[in-house]
Amino acid sequence: MFSLIVAWVAMQLSSQFYMADLHTRSQATLSVQAAGLEKYLDKYRLLPPLLARRSDIVQILANDGHQRGQNVAKVIAGMSGAQEVWFQKSDGRIVASNLIGDASMAEQGMSSYADALRAAQQGRLGRQLVLSRSGGPASYVFIAPVRQGDQDYGFIAVRVSLEGVEQSWALSKDRLVAVDQNGIVVATNQPSWRGERLVASQTMRRGRTSSKGNGVIERRWSDMDFQLVRLGPPLNKSNFQMIEQDLPVLNWEVVLFADTAQVRQQSVWAALVALLLCVVGSGMFWIAGERRRRLLERIRQDKVYAARLEERVHARTCELSNMNALLAQEVKEREAAEKELQQAQAGLVQSAKLATLGEMSAAISHEFNQPLGAIRTHSENAQVLIETGKTERALKSLGKIVAMVERMAAISHVLKGFTRKAGSDLVPVKVSAVVDEVLMMTGPRCKQIGVCATVVQDDKSIEVLAGQVRLAQVLMNLMSNALDAMGEQDDPRIQISVMRTKQQVTIRFEDNGPGIPEDVAAHIFDPFFTTKDVGEGLGLGLSIAYKIIEDLDGQLRYERSALGGACFVIVLNDAFAVAGDLEKEDS
């Protein structure tokens, strides 16, 4: 019962709210449409008095110029949009009109516009509504006297069809009518209502006004301060809200009928929502009560369980204390094992570097022995040249000796730097310098195999965030693997490309060797995985290189090279771009 009462109250309140909202919107629509009607007729109200002052129109009426008057009337009607323009003598004769035959009101007789003509004869602007005899749109006639001095020449009349107003009203979803002082519909967007009375003879019954006879409105009553009506068929299935607005200048009244079906539907929906909320609220209240009962029951049971749990917690506490002691001991052991593993890994990396140097030792020994022999030869030649007094040639020999010594010192310096342990700090490293060191160390072996190593780098100043030794070790591992793979290759080639992309630097290491099969490529970075024969490698080179690049906050991946062999891509952070970002953050 409470839910039903709430639903009924909600329906009443929502109905009043939606009726008020409908009234506000309809009142705004009515004001716009009524103003449009007034402006439409007001535009033509000024036309006859203005035309009556023209000398050519005076001449047409004075000289009975039918042909000229007909042309002028057509021009005025065409330019103003009037339905008919005619010139009439004071005795009632029609001089000219833009229409002929039954289409012309002037030729149908003065009875249809007698009131307007009578006002014009008195020197005023005559105006009169003319209803259509065939049920079409009504017309409005404006008649002005044509005078020059004290001489009366006749009248000029302009007839305007209300069809334009009805067409603009047809765009509105509401029903609109304009009624004259006699209650006759003169304009409407419902063609069947033209010429009908708005309300026929009325009777009162149970507080409602009913109509008898023909009329647009069948019943009329007030509800919640709103005027409601029941219209004639076929619109008698719903009630309409009636809103009126007077047009004092025309002595007309514009009436709007707004359909209340949507208001009734919205009110029903509001009542259903209120009813649903009441049902849901009652259900939630019942659920809350049921939950409270269960909660109290659970609290009682929890007190019983708490006592039992307290005993079990005490026993578990003792067990956990013992377990914590064991876990602490295990953590210490794991930390010690991890430290030993890191040391072993560092030693393994160092061993890998030394193993790489061991592979190059024969070629490097040959690289050293050749300059030593040349140094000995040039020194003996210099001694002989000095004894014979050929000083200039002796100086050239000594210069060659100095150049060879510097080359040997450079190789020795690079080997010394490569063999030392790498640090963990990330510092700006020039890529071109590291590539040159690797090419210098692997140069002897490249000569033995006949490998053509090229470097593609437009900008020699590119720097990355890395470590000199660690980056060199990665490139040495890649170079060593490439040389091993191209031992039996015809015209072996290696290409190292360095380029800057956005905030990163990409180093591509490519060769034209046999490449790596697809089923093997997924495992090349796994520790102890190798495709070499037993005794030729441990499978740690690429794994160590991958770990080093990962520690440098970079990426190392394998691709198929455009040269036909393998391609390893190294992506590192650009030192210049990172420094710029840090400066922005500091600012």
Side-chain angles (χ1 to χ4, degrees):
M1 290 297 295
F2 174 77
S3 300
L4 292 176
I5 292 173
V6 171
W8 182 81
V9 172
M11 184 172 64
Q12 295 299 319
L13 293 177
S14 61
S15 177
Q16 186 173 4
F17 172 79
Y18 288 123
M19 286 290 286
D21 181 67
L22 178 63
H23 184 272
T24 302
R25 290 187 283 108
S26 300
Q27 184 66 53
T29 302
L30 179 61
S31 299
V32 172
Q33 300 296 353
L37 173 60
E38 282 187 314
K39 291 181 179 179
Y40 179 76
L41 293 178
D42 192 60
K43 178 179 66 173
Y44 294 99
R45 179 180 62 84
L46 302 175
L47 186 59
L50 293 176
L51 294 173
R53 300 178 182 179
R54 289 175 45 173
S55 59
D56 57 341
I57 294 178
V58 173
Q59 293 298 324
I60 291 172
L61 289 172
N63 301 326
D64 290 344
H66 174 73
Q67 186 62 37
R68 184 181 178 188
Q70 191 175 24
N71 294 335
V72 172
K74 289 181 179 180
V75 171
I76 294 174
M79 295 183 66
S80 64
Q83 186 176 13
E84 182 179 7
V85 177
W86 72 85
F87 304 106
Q88 185 173 350
K89 297 289 286 184
S90 299
D91 56 3
R93 288 186 302 107
I94 304 301
V95 176
S97 173
N98 65 312
L99 299 178
I100 59 175
D102 295 337
S104 173
M105 178 180 291
E107 296 182 4
Q108 294 176 4
M110 296 183 292
S111 59
S112 57
Y113 57 93
D115 294 340
L117 183 61
R118 189 177 303 110
Q121 290 173 349
Q122 297 173 0
R124 298 181 288 112
L125 175 64
R127 50 197 303 168
Q128 184 176 347
L129 174 70
V130 181
L131 298 177
S132 174
R133 299 176 182 176
S134 61
S139 301
Y140 205 89
V141 177
F142 294 97
I143 302 178
V146 179
R147 294 178 178 177
Q148 194 171 32
D150 297 332
Q151 180 68 33
D152 291 334
Y153 291 96
F155 309 96
I156 178 171
V158 175
R159 181 164 66 97
V160 183
S161 176
L162 297 183
E163 184 178 6
V165 176
E166 291 183 347
Q167 289 178 352
S168 65
W169 286 1
L171 300 177
S172 176
K173 64 178 181 179
D174 300 316
R175 279 72 179 175
L176 289 161
V177 295
V179 296
D180 60 6
Q181 64 273 19
N182 299 320
I184 304 299
V185 176
V186 298
T188 178
N189 55 1
Q190 300 292 317
S192 61
W193 289 356
R194 294 193 189 108
E196 296 286 339
R197 297 188 63 85
L198 180 64
V199 180
S201 58
Q202 300 177 347
T203 59
M204 294 295 296
R205 183 181 180 183
R206 294 183 182 181
R208 294 189 178 185
T209 302
S210 300
S211 301
K212 293 183 178 180
N214 294 331
V216 175
I217 299 175
E218 286 188 349
R219 291 199 307 273
R220 181 175 180 178
W221 69 96
S222 297
D223 188 7
M224 295 186 298
D225 299 330
F226 301 108
Q227 292 290 330
L228 299 180
V229 297
R230 177 64 63 90
L231 302 178
L235 302 175
N236 57 348
K237 297 180 181 179
S238 176
N239 297 333
F240 289 81
Q241 187 180 115
M242 177 178 174
I243 305 173
E244 303 168 287
Q245 181 172 335
D246 293 331
L247 300 180
V249 177
L250 300 173
N251 198 16
W252 289 0
E253 185 180 49
V254 180
V255 183
L256 181 143
F257 300 106
D259 194 352
T260 61
Q262 187 176 6
V263 173
R264 186 169 56 254
Q265 182 180 4
Q266 291 172 333
S267 301
V268 172
W269 276 110
L272 291 176
V273 170
L275 181 63
L276 180 61
L277 290 176
C278 289
V279 173
V280 173
S282 301
M284 293 179 65
F285 182 78
W286 180 83
I287 292 173
E290 186 67 16
R291 285 186 177 181
R292 178 178 173 79
R293 185 187 65 78
R294 293 181 181 179
L295 179 62
L296 294 175
E297 181 66 20
R298 187 177 300 172
I299 291 174
R300 187 186 64 80
Q301 293 179 357
D302 288 345
K303 290 180 180 179
V304 177
Y305 294 151
R308 298 178 183 176
L309 287 175
E310 188 174 354
E311 297 178 359
R312 296 178 64 183
V313 167
H314 181 70
R316 285 290 182 91
T317 302
C318 296
E319 295 178 2
L320 289 175
S321 299
N322 297 331
M323 291 296 295
N324 287 336
L326 294 175
L327 286 174
Q329 182 65 27
E330 185 176 354
V331 168
K332 291 181 180 179
E333 293 177 357
R334 286 182 179 272
E335 289 178 350
E338 185 177 356
K339 187 175 181 180
E340 292 178 359
L341 180 61
Q342 292 177 352
Q343 293 176 353
Q345 185 178 7
L348 190 60
V349 171
Q350 189 69 11
S351 299
K353 290 198 295 184
L354 295 177
T356 303
L357 290 176
E359 294 178 2
M360 297 186 300
S361 60
I364 293 174
S365 297
H366 177 270
E367 191 72 12
F368 274 19
N369 289 334
Q370 183 178 1
L372 288 173
I375 290 171
R376 180 175 181 178
T377 302
H378 284 299
S379 61
E380 292 176 353
N381 290 338
Q383 184 178 0
V384 174
L385 292 172
I386 291 172
E387 290 177 355
T388 58
K390 299 180 180 178
T391 308
E392 294 182 358
R393 295 180 62 186
L395 291 175
K396 291 182 180 180
S397 296
L398 293 175
K400 294 180 180 179
I401 293 173
V402 172
M404 293 182 183
V405 171
E406 289 177 351
R407 174 174 174 78
M408 294 173 64
I411 295 174
S412 178
H413 176 73
V414 171
L415 291 175
K416 182 179 180 182
F418 184 70
T419 55
R420 72 174 185 268
K421 290 188 176 181
S424 59
D425 296 334
L426 297 181
V427 295
V429 176
K430 187 173 291 187
V431 179
S432 59
V434 178
V435 173
D436 292 340
E437 289 183 3
V438 172
L439 292 178
M440 182 180 294
M441 287 188 289
T442 57
R445 190 177 177 192
C446 290
K447 291 180 181 179
Q448 288 182 353
I449 302 176
V451 175
C452 176
T454 58
V455 179
V456 179
Q457 182 178 0
D458 296 335
D459 188 0
K460 299 290 184 179
S461 63
I462 295 177
E463 294 183 349
V464 296
L465 281 181
Q468 181 91 10
V469 177
R470 289 187 287 176
L471 182 58
Q473 184 175 355
V474 172
L475 296 179
M476 279 293 297
N477 285 338
L478 297 179
M479 191 73 174
S480 178
N481 288 341
L483 294 175
D484 291 341
M486 295 189 298
E488 299 178 358
Q489 187 74 20
D490 296 333
D491 188 22
R493 287 180 294 154
I494 293 177
Q495 179 176 301
I496 303 175
S497 305
V498 182
M499 65 187 70
R500 179 184 284 115
T501 57
K502 294 183 180 179
Q503 294 186 348
Q504 293 179 325
V505 176
T506 302
I507 304 173
R508 298 177 63 88
F509 197 99
E510 304 178 70
D511 62 60
N512 64 341
I516 300 175
E518 293 183 359
D519 56 341
V520 177
H523 305 284
I524 58 175
F525 297 113
D526 295 341
F528 301 105
F529 180 84
T530 180
T531 57
K532 298 178 181 179
D533 296 334
V534 178
E536 294 185 3
L538 298 176
L540 293 174
L542 290 177
S543 175
I544 292 173
Y546 186 85
K547 182 64 171 61
I548 291 174
I549 295 299
E550 190 178 49
D551 292 341
L552 297 178
D553 195 19
Q555 299 176 8
L556 174 60
R557 64 178 183 270
Y558 169 77
E559 297 178 356
R560 189 70 181 178
S561 173
L563 301 178
C567 174
F568 289 91
V569 182
I570 302 172
V571 181
L572 295 170
N573 292 325
D574 189 352
F576 179 75
V578 173
D581 292 341
L582 293 176
E583 289 179 359
K584 290 181 180 178
E585 292 179 0
D586 293 341
S587 60

